[in-house]
Amino acid sequence: VAQDGMLLTVTSATAFAHTITATSLIDDGVTGGSKTTATFAAFAGASIVLMAYNGKWHTISLKAVTVA
């Protein structure tokens, strides 16, 4: 929790489907509890902004990224 408030931005520079895995650590404001993967569409410019909060990552914004 010492990292609370820290922002992490990940963006794709290539047209490939990339994946971030953080087992049960991604909270996206949707029911079903914490998620594990963020999958980027196969487009350059797909991006996610995450904020550290209470030992997990909260999604701030998504562009062509699916969280599951």
Side-chain angles (χ1 to χ4, degrees):
V1 295
Q3 296 171 334
D4 279 1
M6 183 178 80
L7 293 176
L8 175 65
T9 302
V10 180
T11 187
S12 174
T14 61
F16 294 97
H18 301 286
T19 303
I20 295 172
T21 303
T23 306
S24 297
L25 293 178
I26 303 171
D27 288 332
D28 63 346
V30 179
T31 61
S34 299
K35 311 300 187 300
T36 296
T37 59
T39 303
F40 291 62
F43 304 110
S47 64
I48 186 171
V49 178
L50 300 164
M51 181 182 73
Y53 180 76
N54 202 22
K56 295 196 176 183
W57 292 101
H58 286 205
T59 57
I60 302 299
S61 69
L62 301 168
K63 182 176 182 183
V65 175
T66 302
V67 176

